[in-house]
Amino acid sequence: MSEIDKSGEGGSGGGPRSGLLKRAIWGVAVLGVAAVVYIIVQASSNPAAHGDLKSVAKGEMAKLVISPDATAAPVTTFYDGAGKPFRVADFKGKVVVLNIWATWCGPCVLEMPTLAKLAAAYPTDKVVVVPVSVDGDREADKAQAFIGQHAPLTFYRDPKMKLPYDLKPASVGMPTTVIYDAEGVEKGRVMGGADWSGADAKAVIDKVLASG
């Protein structure tokens, strides 16, 4: 899993000092605390409330972390290739597989073809895979071209890298893939790369679909 670096090139944020500060805050406060808190809270929550989904999280999905609370998707705006704004709520009524990635993240690039296969395995009115690039402006064309090689995925971008920070808890690295039910409630997330093309991922998505 690649650690998120907000000082990357092409962004519209501040200068080197701002980038260094953000990296320090991210690496120490988020990477060192948020992941630990999330796992502790998840482990101490009522296991019966999440047992069904965890029971099918095997193999490639064994590291799925079940959301301990009914956490709604962030209202953060991201954009498609034409600049049209979107939010996770725009996909309400479908199971959403939100993938936060970047071209400079090796595991992100490796798993993307498997996410494309996952998207192709379900009707578009039931499940949607939403890959959101956090590449800066200078890498936007590269990111869009990469997604273009992996139909039926659609290119989305978050050039200010707000989305990973606005997740509750914040994402601790990339790739991060969050699964929301049809009501926009987080059911679980996978931090790090995975193979989303096989039976392991399908079992998890089918369980979320079956839950309504």
Side-chain angles (χ1 to χ4, degrees):
M1 182 168 65
S2 299
E3 183 179 341
I4 294 177
D5 181 357
K6 280 200 72 174
S7 67
E9 57 188 57
S12 55
R17 182 179 300 175
S18 174
L20 182 61
L21 177 60
K22 289 174 181 176
R23 278 197 296 174
I25 293 173
W26 187 266
V28 176
V30 178
L31 185 59
V33 178
V36 175
V37 171
Y38 190 42
I39 293 171
I40 290 174
V41 172
Q42 186 274 333
S44 63
S45 63
N46 181 4
H50 314 295
D52 287 347
L53 186 56
K54 193 63 178 177
S55 69
V56 299
K58 308 294 184 183
E60 286 292 318
M61 296 291 106
K63 56 186 175 182
L64 180 75
V65 179
I66 308 301
S67 178
D69 302 302
T71 306
V75 297
T76 310
T77 299
F78 49 92
Y79 304 88
D80 69 6
K84 181 180 177 181
F86 283 86
R87 294 178 178 178
V88 174
D90 293 326
F91 303 97
K92 187 174 182 179
K94 307 176 184 181
V95 170
V96 177
V97 181
L98 176 71
N99 177 255
I100 300 174
W101 74 285
T103 57
W104 43 262
C105 163
C108 301
V109 172
L110 287 174
E111 77 170 356
M112 196 62 70
T114 73
L115 285 161
K117 290 180 179 178
L118 177 69
Y122 290 92
T124 55
D125 63 335
K126 298 294 185 182
V127 177
V128 60
V129 177
V130 181
V132 180
S133 165
V134 294
D135 287 285
D137 291 336
R138 283 186 286 179
E139 298 297 327
D141 289 344
K142 178 180 179 181
Q144 186 166 8
F146 176 73
I147 292 297
Q149 298 170 9
H150 298 294
L153 298 180
T154 298
F155 175 67
Y156 299 98
R157 62 187 301 249
D158 173 23
K160 294 185 178 180
M161 201 180 283
K162 285 182 58 62
L163 189 55
Y165 285 86
D166 290 344
L167 294 174
K168 302 297 182 185
S171 172
V172 298
M174 289 188 298
T176 292
T177 305
V178 187
I179 302 171
Y180 295 99
D181 67 14
E183 295 300 317
V185 174
E186 179 176 338
K187 305 305 289 184
R189 65 176 71 180
V190 173
M191 294 175 280
D195 182 350
W196 293 89
S197 65
D200 294 335
K202 190 173 185 298
V204 170
I205 300 303
D206 287 350
K207 181 64 71 172
V208 177
L209 278 169
S211 71

